[in-house]
């Protein structure tokens, strides 16, 4: 008992000693500018997990082991504060304006984000690397409000389609202007995402006006990385990924095809029982049916692809000399054999300070492509009769299986059967000289050159898919050369007088674009191994063509920025462009713009409220031009035509080409109004950018079809009008930021209404070209399928001239029993009603997780698979639910061996489908090594990650990614990636 009492008193004494050693710290946390208390501020003893939060009055109380040490105060939207432990602490926290003070690149200059007056979206380089891709634009799909981005196909190095705020032009180019380090650059796929410091997208007329005609469809500015002073920094970035087809629908199996062909011939009375099979199938096919032999050729053609990228970057230098060097190797093997892209690139950026007033430098890159492509073999695979085997018993390819007329879809993969190889060497160089003779005054002269040389060689043997109906091989040798020169001189002046700040920019530029190409062809190559070389050895079909294009653009630009007290912002821009593509007297045009912004959040009356952390209103109006047509459209040209005096003697003769020149051709003009608001609330926990825009385009550069009596086919004229209006919303949120765990989200929503306002004949639709007033440029115009005529509707079907089993379409008129072209309607549009993205970033200590969802809603596609139905049974079809007397359906018409596919009434209506989709675009999980381990390894950063790209797509279209647009060729892919980022 005594021992127990002794232990008890020892414990009491120890507790008392511990309490005596503890220390209670009390204090208050307030806003440094307003003095208002801050609620729920994190207060933590540095180096420990001991902490608390402030109450509703900003007060806190924290028990700490001793009166020594430091407290760390953190609060979203405020700069962190470290304070030594003291009694009755009063902590004043400053707002963190880091985001507002971020520098954003605009045309011919930079401004702080807080001073922007136009609609500009900025993306940092780290965001661009989250989605491994061939083309950096694919990495930002769904992340930029108002920018519609889709991938054209799943082939290696496939093109990325980019449209900013809808299609303004009907026939002229609608793609944005790409500016890389201040110079126009068409081939954005050359730029490695690892070399990019930032990307800015200029959308409204005020932002793009300084680029004049070149910025009519939006401007995307790429700034590459520069050197840094001090110890050289080396980064190594690499990834390897396996790509697989992202869903591919199957064609009929052998038994399904047999059932279809039997039914087609049962309709005509030629087939009644299996005993009649020899009447509709050849002997080889009958044998294949008996032995259940058939082939799914798509399975033999589609393989797993491989994508890999290896990049090394070195940044270093001194205070006067800064250098950035990068080398990159990219290799992509597509889903098919003979589909591969290799890209080798090197970048060198140098900036040299000569003295206090002179700075020079250059940005340069050389890129080399070695690419093999092929005609998509799936078209052949999807239509060939499946009742056969691709190889004989000896393993040799059967060129025409089952003695059929269709060549084996695997034919191009055989040795010396087919090759399409392209070599491209592109050199980009931009040198500059910059003078700053006076404070605030600078002059910069940029001289940029892009040299592009390409060679494409194509050889197709007589046993290739493309030449299967010919008797000889064909060889082609095509070359192309482009030379783009840009010389721009920029004078800038900045001055502040009291509360007034002024910025003036003047630009004079000359752009020259020269292109030439050659085309050589021959048939009957002596030796297949000579491919497309030694064309003189070809025995027939010798053809030679060359071409040349040249255009120039001269521009003079002025911009004035005014800022009063940092709260009232005004920007005025005017640009005059002269284009050689347009007619004399119409070559020059002036493009003005004005923009203003009011930073309401900086007003004194806003200081007492706590809801808005920042608030700004913006408005702009401007006019932009477009001359994106081929040079020489103002001139008529001659073409050689066959002519002879008699049956023996020939002579040279020329006639007017198919397109006549237009001596009155002028600028296409777009006027845009933009109203926007930028704000953040709840101590910057939620940030919102929203814009409403309305663009009216007139004098469209439109190719017009002329009557045959004119003797020519078409002419380009300034006719028609379009309108694009819509809203864009970008939302950034910090959902959780506590105890080492953060969760941030980025939500993007874009809704654009695109419509044709007028065409050549004012209010008359152009049905032949599919252009309709009040509708978008790209629509599906056809009869509206409502089902299949059923047996019980035989009398009504007869009234319209059809019978049960035929496609039934809607009578859009008066139901008078007549169906004609007047009953066609607009079924859907290829552009989405709205699109958006949801990007979530989670971070817990050294782990990071990114989940990105992308949606494109309201678009329609013309599904090649849905229309893959041959009612005759001559070719293979998709496994569809077709109508029979015993199994009536509203899906597909009755098979009929006596009616061809093209002759089947309303057959084209089968393909129109709602192509809306939601896809999980990216899931990435990464781990960064702790700093303690990195120090021992002499590394500054090491991150490993795995990524799933384009993993899941949700749509009404089964086993197909609707982003492809409906085509079955070159299907889109999903990819599984493992990557590594190292810095030292």
């Amino acid at each position: 008992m005594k021992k127990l009492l002794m232990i008890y008193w020892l414990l009491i004494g120890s507790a008392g000693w511990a309490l005596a050693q503890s220390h209670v710290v009390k204090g208050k946390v307030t806003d440094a500018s307003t003095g208002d208390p801050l609620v729920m501020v994190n207060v933590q003893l540095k180096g420990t997990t001991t902490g608390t939060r402030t109450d509703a009055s900003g007060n806190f109380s924290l028990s700490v082991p001793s009166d020594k040490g430091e407290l760390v105060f953190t609060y979203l939207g405020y700069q962190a504060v470290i304070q030594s432990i003291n009694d009755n602490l009063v902590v004043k926290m400053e707002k963190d304006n880091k985001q507002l003070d971020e520098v954003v690149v605009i045309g011919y200059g930079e401004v702080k984000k807080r001073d922007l007056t136009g609609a500009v979206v900025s993306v940092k380089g780290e965001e661009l690397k989250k989605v491994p891709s061939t083309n950096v634009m694919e990495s930002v799909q769904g992340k930029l409000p108002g920018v519609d981005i889709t991938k054209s196909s799943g082939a290696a190095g496939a093109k990325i389609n980019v449209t900013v705020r809808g299609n303004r032009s009907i026939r002229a180019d609608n793609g944005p202007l790409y500016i890389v380090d201040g110079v126009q650059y068409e081939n954005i796929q050359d730029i490695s995402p690892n070399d990019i410091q930032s990307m800015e997208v200029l959308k409204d007329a005020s932002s793009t006006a300084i680029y004049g005609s070149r910025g009519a469809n939006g401007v995307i500015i790429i700034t590459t990385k520069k050197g840094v002073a001090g110890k050289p920094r080396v980064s190594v970035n690499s990834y390897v990924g396996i790509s697989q087809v992202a869903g591919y629908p199957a064609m009929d199996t052998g038994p399904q095809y047999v059932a279809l062909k039997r039914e087609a011939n049962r309709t005509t009375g030629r087939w009644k029982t299996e005993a009649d099979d020899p009447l509709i199938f050849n002997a080889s096919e009958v044998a294949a049916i008996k032995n259940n032999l058939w082939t799914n050729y798509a399975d033999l053609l589609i393989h797993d692809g491989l994508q890999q990228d290896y990049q090394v970057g070195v940044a270093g230098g001194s205070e006067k000399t800064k250098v950035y060097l990068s080398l990159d190797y990219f290799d992509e093997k597509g889903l098919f054999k003979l589909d591969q892209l290799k890209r080798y690139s090197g970048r060198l950026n140098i900036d040299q300070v000569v003295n206090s007033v002179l700075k020079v430098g250059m940005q340069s890159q050389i890129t080399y492509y070695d690419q093999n492509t092929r005609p998509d073999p799936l078209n052949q695979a999807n239509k060939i009769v499946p009742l056969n085997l691709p190889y004989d018993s000896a393993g040799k390819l059967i060129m025409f299986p089952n003695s059929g007329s269709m060549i084996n879809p695997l034919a191009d993969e055989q040795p010396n059967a087919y090759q399409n190889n392209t070599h491209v060497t592109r050199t980009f160089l931009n040198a500059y000289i910059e003078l700053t003779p006076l404070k605030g005054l600078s002059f910069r002269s940029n001289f940029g050159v892009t040299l592009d040389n390409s060679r494409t060689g194509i050889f197709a043997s007589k046993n290739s898919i493309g030449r299967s109906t010919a008797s000889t091989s064909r060889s082609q040798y095509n070359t192309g050369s482009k030379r783009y020169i840009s010389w721009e001189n920029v004078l800038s002046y900045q001055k502040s007088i009291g509360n007034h700040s002024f910025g003036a920019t003047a630009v004079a530029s000359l752009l020259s674009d020269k292109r030439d190409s050659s085309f050589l062809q021959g048939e009957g190559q002596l030796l297949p191994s000579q491919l497309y070389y030694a064309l003189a050895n070809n025995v027939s079909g010798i053809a030679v063509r060359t071409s040349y294009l040249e255009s120039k653009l001269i521009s003079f630009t002025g911009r004035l920025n005014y800022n009063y007290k940092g709260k009232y912002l005004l920007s005025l821009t005017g640009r005059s462009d002269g284009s050689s593509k347009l007619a004399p007297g119409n070559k020059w045009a002036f493009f003005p713009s004005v923009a203003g912004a009011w930073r309401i959040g900086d007003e004194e009356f806003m200081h007492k409220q706590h809801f808005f952390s920042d608030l700004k209103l913006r408005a702009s109006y401007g006019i932009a031009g477009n001359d994106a047509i081929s040079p020489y459209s103002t001139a008529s040209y001659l073409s050689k035509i066959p002519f002879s005096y008699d049956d023996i003697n020939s002579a040279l003769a020329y006639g007017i080409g198919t397109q006549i020149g237009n001596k009155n051709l002028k600028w296409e003009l777009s006027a845009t109004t933009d109203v926007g608001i930028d704000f953040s609330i709840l101590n910057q926990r939620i940030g919102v950018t929203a814009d409403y825009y309305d663009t009216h385009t007139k004098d469209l550069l439109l190719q017009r079809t002329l009557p045959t009596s004119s003797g020519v086919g078409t002419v380009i004229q300034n006719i028609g009008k379009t309108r694009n209006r819509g809203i864009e919303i970008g939302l950034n949120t910090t959902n959780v930021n506590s105890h080492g765990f953060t969760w941030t989200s980025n939500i993007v929503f874009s809704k654009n209404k695109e419509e044709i306002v007028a065409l050549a004949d004012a209010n008359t639709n152009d049905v032949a070209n599919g252009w309709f007033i009040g509708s978008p440029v790209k629509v599906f115009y056809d009869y509206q399928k409502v089902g299949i005529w059923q047996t019980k509707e035989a009398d009504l079907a007869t009234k319209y001239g059809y019978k049960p089993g035929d496609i039934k379409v809607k009578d859009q008129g008066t139901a008078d029993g007549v169906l004609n072209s007047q009953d066609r309607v607009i079924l859907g549009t290829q552009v989405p009603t709205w699109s958006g993205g949801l990007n979530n970033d989670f971070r817990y200590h050294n782990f990071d997780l990114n989940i990105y969802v992308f949606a494109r809603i309201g678009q329609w596609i013309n599904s090649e698979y849905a229309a893959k139905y041959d009612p005759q049974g001559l070719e293979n079809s998709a496994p569809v639910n077709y109508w029979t007397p015993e199994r009536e359906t509203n899906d597909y018409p009755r098979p009929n061996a006596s009616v061809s596919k093209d002759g089947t009434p309303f057959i084209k209506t089968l393909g129109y489908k709602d192509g809306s989709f939601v896809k999980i675009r990216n899931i990435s999980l990464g781990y960064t090594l702790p700093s303690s381990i990195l120090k021992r390894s002499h590394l500054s950063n090491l991150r490993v990650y795995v990524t799933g790209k384009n993993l899941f797509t949700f749509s009404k279209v089964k086993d197909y990614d609707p982003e492809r647009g409906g085509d079955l060729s070159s299907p889109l892919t999903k990819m599984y990636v493992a990557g590594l980022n190292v810095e030292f």
Side-chain angles (χ1 to χ4, degrees):
M1 185 68 181
K2 291 182 179 179
K3 290 182 178 179
L4 289 175
L5 288 173
M6 186 177 294
I7 293 173
Y8 172 77
W9 287 110
L10 285 173
L11 289 173
I12 293 295
S14 298
W17 179 83
L19 288 172
Q21 293 299 311
S22 66
H23 187 79
V24 178
V25 183
K26 295 182 179 181
K28 186 173 184 177
V29 183
T30 62
D31 184 295
S33 59
T34 65
D36 296 329
L38 296 179
V39 185
M40 299 295 287
V41 175
N42 288 311
V43 184
Q44 189 169 3
L45 180 62
K46 188 175 181 180
T48 72
T49 58
T50 302
T52 186
R53 290 183 177 181
T54 58
D55 59 19
S57 300
N59 297 317
F60 71 92
S61 177
L62 180 64
S63 179
V64 295
S66 70
D67 58 356
K68 304 296 183 183
E70 294 178 319
L71 298 181
V72 180
F73 299 83
T74 57
Y75 194 43
L76 188 66
Y78 285 77
Q79 298 177 19
V81 174
I82 300 177
Q83 188 89 14
S84 298
I85 291 176
N86 199 351
D87 294 332
N88 297 319
L89 283 174
V90 177
V91 179
K92 298 180 179 181
M93 300 189 71
E94 299 276 356
K95 283 190 175 181
D96 186 0
N97 292 318
K98 182 173 61 177
Q99 289 185 343
L100 294 177
D101 291 335
E102 284 182 356
V103 174
V104 177
V105 179
I106 59 174
Y108 304 104
E110 298 175 342
V111 298
K112 289 183 178 180
K113 191 174 181 179
R114 64 184 299 121
D115 295 332
L116 279 174
T117 57
V120 180
V121 181
S122 181
V123 183
K124 299 306 178 185
E126 292 304 313
E127 184 69 26
L128 301 175
K129 295 191 293 184
K130 288 182 179 178
V131 181
S133 61
T134 315
N135 189 317
V136 68
M137 294 309 299
E138 187 182 357
S139 302
V140 292
Q141 182 188 51
K143 297 182 179 181
L144 305 174
V147 183
D148 188 30
I149 302 174
T150 59
K151 192 171 183 179
S152 61
S153 78
K159 178 184 176 183
I160 303 298
N161 303 313
V162 181
T163 305
V164 179
R165 291 184 169 180
N167 296 291
R168 297 167 181 80
S169 298
I170 295 179
R171 281 287 176 87
D173 184 23
N174 281 290
L177 169 70
Y178 294 100
I179 301 293
V180 179
D181 292 327
V183 178
Q184 180 174 334
Y185 194 69
E186 291 183 347
N187 307 98
I188 194 66
Q189 69 273 14
D190 292 354
I191 312 298
S192 169
N194 295 301
D195 289 339
I196 297 177
Q197 185 69 35
S198 67
M199 172 193 293
E200 276 75 25
V201 182
L202 316 184
K203 297 180 292 184
D204 69 318
S206 169
S207 303
T208 64
I210 199 161
Y211 290 104
S213 61
R214 296 187 295 156
N217 298 315
V219 180
I220 297 177
I221 300 178
I222 301 290
T223 303
T224 61
K225 293 179 179 179
K226 304 294 191 294
V228 293
K231 180 182 177 182
R233 303 177 186 176
V234 181
S235 62
V236 178
N237 303 282
S238 68
Y239 71 82
V240 177
I242 296 175
S243 57
Q244 298 176 342
V245 65
Y248 195 79
M251 295 297 117
D252 275 344
T253 64
Q256 288 172 327
Y257 169 76
V258 170
L260 171 64
K261 190 163 186 178
R262 284 172 176 171
E263 184 63 32
N265 285 273
R266 183 171 80 103
T267 302
T268 64
R270 192 179 182 192
W271 185 94
K272 294 181 180 179
T273 67
E274 294 182 7
D276 296 326
D277 278 354
L279 298 177
I280 62 175
F281 297 101
N282 64 35
S284 298
E285 290 172 339
V286 170
I289 295 171
K290 181 179 179 181
N291 296 295
N292 193 29
L293 299 177
W294 59 276
T295 301
N296 183 337
Y297 281 96
D299 284 348
L300 300 178
L301 289 164
I302 297 176
H303 310 276
D304 287 351
L306 179 67
Q307 190 176 111
Q308 51 188 325
D309 184 75
Y310 306 93
Q311 186 263 353
V312 177
V314 181
S318 62
E319 291 297 330
K320 289 191 173 183
T321 305
K322 298 175 182 176
V323 180
Y324 176 77
L325 172 65
S326 172
L327 300 174
D328 185 274
Y329 169 69
F330 176 83
D331 185 0
E332 181 177 11
K333 294 180 180 178
L335 298 176
F336 306 131
K337 293 181 179 179
L338 309 181
D339 181 20
Q340 183 173 13
L341 170 71
K342 293 183 178 182
R343 182 188 70 197
Y344 308 83
S345 62
R347 169 168 287 275
L348 177 62
N349 294 346
I350 300 175
D351 297 280
Q352 175 67 52
V353 176
V354 178
N355 52 44
S356 60
V357 299
L358 178 60
K359 181 181 178 181
V360 297
M362 74 170 188
Q363 295 84 38
S364 61
Q365 176 165 311
I366 183 168
T367 309
Y368 174 72
Y369 287 92
D370 182 2
Q371 184 171 14
N372 288 305
T373 58
R374 66 182 295 185
D376 187 278
L378 291 175
N379 178 57
Q380 185 74 5
N382 292 337
K383 69 182 182 181
I384 190 172
V385 173
L387 300 175
N388 55 64
L389 296 177
Y391 301 98
D392 60 20
S393 58
K396 184 179 179 181
L397 188 78
I398 302 173
M399 200 57 64
F400 291 89
N402 281 357
S403 303
S405 60
M406 297 185 189
I407 195 170
N408 195 316
L410 301 168
D412 285 355
E413 298 178 0
Q414 307 312 302
N416 295 324
Y418 184 86
Q419 187 178 113
N420 184 335
N421 178 256
T422 298
H423 292 168
V424 177
T425 302
R426 207 151 28 234
T427 304
F428 167 76
L429 175 63
N430 175 37
Y432 74 87
I433 178 172
E434 183 174 337
L435 293 169
T436 53
L438 300 173
K439 182 181 179 180
L441 178 66
S442 68
F443 172 78
R444 181 177 175 122
S445 183
N446 295 312
F447 185 78
V449 178
T450 302
L451 302 177
D452 187 325
N453 293 282
S454 64
R455 184 278 289 162
T456 299
I458 304 174
F459 173 75
S461 72
K462 65 179 182 178
N463 287 328
S464 62
I465 295 175
R467 301 291 294 172
S468 60
T469 59
S471 59
T472 61
S473 65
R474 172 174 287 174
S475 301
Q476 294 180 11
Y477 193 88
N478 309 326
T479 63
S481 176
K482 301 177 184 178
R483 189 195 71 182
Y484 184 84
I485 295 177
S486 168
W487 184 29
E488 297 185 314
N489 296 285
V490 185
L491 182 65
S492 300
Y493 181 68
Q494 304 288 333
K495 181 68 175 179
S496 295
I497 304 175
N499 292 325
H500 305 272
S501 297
F502 300 89
T505 303
V507 183
S509 63
L510 169 64
L511 310 177
S512 173
D513 190 353
K514 294 183 180 181
R515 310 181 181 205
D516 62 73
S517 63
S518 64
F519 171 86
L520 309 176
Q521 178 178 289
E523 296 180 355
Q525 182 67 286
L526 179 64
L527 298 173
S529 59
Q530 291 180 330
L531 299 173
Y532 33 79
Y533 301 108
L535 283 179
N537 293 337
N538 283 260
V539 298
S540 63
I542 302 296
V544 177
R545 291 196 300 270
T546 58
S547 67
Y548 176 80
L549 294 173
E550 180 180 359
S551 63
K552 286 184 172 66
L553 184 73
I554 299 176
S555 306
F556 300 97
T557 309
R559 178 175 63 200
L560 176 64
N561 292 328
Y562 172 70
N563 180 325
Y564 178 65
K565 290 186 176 181
K567 296 184 290 187
Y568 312 106
L569 312 171
L570 178 68
S571 178
L572 300 172
T573 305
R575 175 159 174 148
S576 183
D577 280 345
S579 172
S580 65
K581 297 180 182 179
L582 304 176
N586 294 325
K587 293 181 181 295
W588 287 89
F590 180 70
F591 307 110
S593 77
V594 58
W598 178 24
R599 289 196 49 77
I600 304 175
D602 289 345
E603 296 286 1
E604 290 186 8
F605 62 80
M606 293 291 290
H607 292 172
K608 295 182 180 181
Q609 58 83 39
H610 303 287
F611 183 73
F612 286 99
S613 307
D614 185 59
L615 177 61
K616 180 172 70 174
L617 290 179
R618 297 178 281 104
S620 68
Y621 175 82
I623 298 174
N626 192 354
D627 68 339
I629 55 173
S630 176
Y632 319 127
S633 295
T634 60
S636 301
Y637 59 88
L638 298 177
S639 60
K640 190 169 66 174
I641 57 176
F643 181 79
S644 63
Y645 289 105
D646 48 41
D647 294 336
I648 300 175
N649 300 305
S650 62
L652 291 176
Y654 295 88
I656 299 293
T658 57
Q659 180 173 296
I660 192 171
N662 182 357
K663 293 295 184 182
N664 297 309
L665 207 59
K666 59 183 180 180
W667 289 93
E668 178 179 293
L669 300 175
S670 296
T672 300
T673 301
D674 187 287
V675 178
I677 183 171
D678 306 322
F679 66 89
S680 59
I681 59 176
L682 304 178
N683 292 320
Q684 301 182 13
R685 185 176 288 271
I686 299 176
V688 179
T689 296
D691 282 86
Y692 169 80
Y693 61 89
D694 192 353
T695 300
H696 294 261
T697 303
K698 66 177 183 177
D699 296 330
L700 298 178
L701 293 166
L702 191 60
Q703 189 178 54
R704 185 176 186 179
T705 302
L706 299 176
T708 54
S709 58
S710 66
V712 291
T714 59
V715 62
I716 294 180
Q717 293 181 328
N718 292 102
I719 49 177
K721 300 177 182 179
T722 62
R723 184 183 184 188
N724 278 273
R725 60 189 184 275
I727 57 174
E728 304 165 350
I729 300 175
L731 179 66
N732 298 293
T733 65
T734 300
N735 308 309
V736 179
N737 184 9
S738 179
H739 303 293
F741 176 71
T742 60
W743 170 23
T744 60
S745 298
N746 172 247
I747 303 172
V748 169
F749 174 83
S750 303
K751 181 178 177 60
N752 177 74
K753 184 177 182 181
E754 173 188 312
E755 62 177 315
I756 299 173
V757 177
L759 289 166
D761 297 322
N763 298 320
T764 303
N765 295 325
D766 189 337
V767 179
N769 285 307
W771 301 330
F772 301 91
I773 294 173
S775 298
V777 174
K778 299 176 182 179
V779 298
F780 295 115
Y781 178 74
D782 210 329
Y783 297 94
Q784 183 180 358
K785 176 180 175 289
V786 293
I788 304 295
W789 288 109
Q790 306 299 318
T791 302
K792 63 183 179 182
E793 301 175 298
D795 292 340
L796 184 58
T798 302
K799 178 182 176 182
Y800 282 97
Y802 302 102
K803 61 184 182 300
D806 289 342
I807 295 175
K808 179 182 179 182
V809 298
K810 185 176 182 179
D811 186 348
Q812 304 287 347
T814 58
D816 54 1
V818 177
L819 290 171
N820 53 37
S821 60
Q822 301 302 313
D823 292 298
R824 291 180 295 172
V825 294
I826 294 174
L827 302 172
T829 173
Q830 297 179 47
V831 295
T833 304
W834 65 270
S835 62
L838 171 60
N839 188 63
N840 286 290
D841 283 298
F842 305 89
R843 181 175 291 276
Y844 182 69
H845 296 296
N846 289 28
F847 289 93
D848 61 89
L849 173 67
N850 174 259
I851 301 176
Y852 172 41
V853 180
F854 171 59
R856 208 168 186 257
I857 307 299
Q859 67 167 8
W860 277 62
I861 64 173
N862 190 356
S863 170
E864 186 180 345
Y865 182 71
K868 196 70 179 175
Y869 173 64
D870 182 7
Q872 280 186 297
L874 298 180
E875 297 179 354
N876 203 6
S877 296
V880 299
N881 185 24
Y882 50 79
W883 190 96
T884 69
E886 299 79 19
R887 189 186 70 245
E888 295 192 353
T889 174
N890 275 305
D891 295 337
Y892 283 79
R894 185 179 187 180
N896 191 332
S898 64
V899 181
S900 68
K901 180 175 182 177
D902 292 338
T904 302
F906 314 116
I907 191 72
K908 291 183 179 179
T909 63
L910 298 175
Y912 304 118
K913 300 293 181 183
D914 182 354
S916 302
F917 65 85
V918 177
K919 62 170 57 179
I920 298 179
R921 190 72 181 83
N922 185 72
I923 299 178
S924 182
L925 176 64
Y927 177 75
T928 302
L929 263 64
S931 57
S932 57
I933 298 177
L934 291 173
K935 288 180 180 179
R936 292 197 298 267
S937 304
H938 303 287
L939 299 175
S940 57
N941 183 64
L942 191 154
R943 176 178 178 266
V944 294
Y945 65 92
V946 290
T947 295
K949 176 181 170 184
N950 201 32
L951 292 181
F952 307 102
T953 299
F954 307 96
S955 74
K956 297 178 181 178
V957 186
K958 185 180 179 181
D959 296 329
Y960 180 79
D961 189 339
E963 186 182 343
R964 178 69 179 90
D967 291 348
L968 283 175
S969 61
S970 298
L972 296 183
T973 61
K974 57 184 176 182
M975 191 164 68
Y976 304 94
V977 178
L980 176 70
N981 305 127
V982 182
E983 296 179 9
F984 54 89

